[in-house]
Amino acid sequence: MNMKLQVAGIDTGYGRIPVLHGVSMCVAPHEAVAIIGANGAGKSTLVRAVCGLLPLGAGSITKDGREIGAMPAHQRVQQGLGVVLENRNLFGELSVLTNLQAAQHQGARRQVARRFSLDDVIELFPFMHGRLDSAVELLSGGEQQMVAIARALLLQPDLLVMDEPSTGLAPKVLRHIVEATAKLRERGLAILLIEQNVALAAEIADRAYVMSLGRVVQEIQPHEWGRIMENEDLMRAYLGA
Ligand SMILES: Nc1ncnc2c1ncn2[C@@H]1O[C@H](COP(=O)(O)OP(=O)(O)OP(=O)(O)O)[C@@H](O)[C@H]1O
Ligand SMILES: [Mg+2]
């Protein structure tokens, strides 16, 4: 079976500064996988390498069996990779609708069986109904996060990568994002979630990888979540808990 995403032994970093060392991980079709680890572990660097913002020094990245490790970011989008970056990368001065339409336009180039429409993403995050004409920078952090996810969905991905979508969000907004994620899985999307909150990761993801100092140091299988959260040494060593 081809993996939705297969990262094999990648090294990358910033200029001459090495950050990731031989990182391997995978996401199977329809699977939700989390990457957990303390600040500075290299989680966002992995996201940047996967979506094409950092060149690989070694290793490979395949999506559905096809090598994407040397493709520019926009071509990876055409391969069905949707990414919500840590900084969300929205056009702050432009309206919610304009942000969504830009993505819709780009996503229209992808041939997929069942598309996410504008109505679909508004249904997923109903607050947007009344806010389509608002400038994105005037929205709350949680609202902006939802716009960023909606925008990624309009690129028509089959793998959605989210870098710490929960950062700074109120519990209620968090609930909403957890529920939305469950709905996306029902629609067959595979998910790669970067998340420092282990309990939240356990709720959303089937399995996880723990990163520390630029390496994958542990894999957490579906039945192991409980044991991990009770393991204070591991939580302290790798997760800064
Ligand atoms: N633009 C950059 N230039 C140089 N070094 C960087 C850059 N971005 C990150 N780093 C370094 O790479 C390492 C990994 O950072 P990264 O952002 O991937 O961590 P993270 O696991 O996402 O952390 P956090 O939980 O705080 O988001 C850190 O040591 C960081 O200082
Ligand atoms: Mg990060």
Side-chain angles (χ1 to χ4, degrees):
M1 178 182 66
N2 274 338
M3 282 293 159
K4 189 64 11 205
L5 180 74
Q6 179 113 45
V7 172
I10 65 165
D11 291 354
T12 192
Y14 301 91
R16 288 212 201 122
I17 309 167
V19 173
L20 298 190
H21 309 279
V23 168
S24 298
M25 50 83 53
C26 63
V27 181
H30 312 296
E31 201 180 21
V33 172
I35 305 283
I36 57 185
N39 293 121
K43 306 179 299 295
S44 296
T45 302
L46 173 60
V47 169
R48 291 181 200 119
V50 166
C51 74
L53 297 177
L54 283 177
L56 300 185
S60 78
I61 303 175
T62 58
K63 182 168 180 302
D64 303 306
R66 170 192 270 227
E67 179 65 44
I68 61 165
M71 280 183 192
H74 68 94
Q75 268 179 32
R76 299 189 200 195
V77 171
Q78 293 307 319
Q79 299 298 318
L81 188 67
V83 183
V84 181
L85 293 172
E86 213 169 13
N87 62 10
R88 301 183 188 129
N89 260 15
L90 295 163
F91 301 109
E93 291 159 34
L94 302 182
S95 71
V96 171
L97 186 61
T98 308
N99 272 274
L100 296 180
Q101 282 171 336
Q104 208 179 16
H105 188 72
Q106 199 182 349
R109 292 168 35 206
R110 245 175 80 65
Q111 305 293 322
V112 289
R114 205 174 151 218
R115 311 188 72 83
F116 284 99
S117 66
L118 206 52
D119 287 342
D120 288 338
V121 297
I122 295 172
E123 193 183 317
L124 202 57
F125 301 118
F127 95 90
M128 292 196 299
H129 252 309
R131 303 302 298 274
L132 287 172
D133 295 326
S134 305
V136 162
E137 64 194 5
L138 299 180
L139 303 178
S140 73
E143 290 168 342
Q144 291 188 24
Q145 189 61 259
M146 292 188 265
V147 175
I149 297 171
R151 191 186 55 171
L153 293 174
L154 290 171
L155 299 172
Q156 313 301 337
D158 47 42
L159 170 64
L160 180 65
V161 182
M162 294 187 281
D163 193 351
E164 304 215 42
S166 68
T167 304
L169 300 194
K172 202 175 142 203
V173 183
L174 216 55
R175 277 296 106 211
H176 204 93
I177 289 180
V178 171
E179 283 161 24
T181 309
K183 287 183 195 155
L184 297 177
R185 293 199 66 188
E186 283 166 18
R187 281 192 61 158
L189 238 70
I191 289 173
L192 178 60
L193 173 77
I194 312 306
E195 181 55 64
Q196 280 197 54
N197 179 333
V198 181
L200 190 67
E203 200 176 344
I204 292 178
D206 303 313
R207 332 181 263 116
Y209 296 88
V210 182
M211 284 186 73
S212 176
L213 301 174
R215 292 185 161 82
V216 170
V217 293
Q218 184 134 5
E219 265 188 71
I220 302 174
Q221 298 305 331
H223 62 278
E224 294 177 323
W225 281 110
R227 194 166 61 73
I228 296 293
M229 282 186 272
E230 283 159 21
N231 185 337
E232 283 176 24
D233 290 340
L234 181 121
M235 295 285 277
R236 209 174 307 119
Y238 297 135
L239 303 167

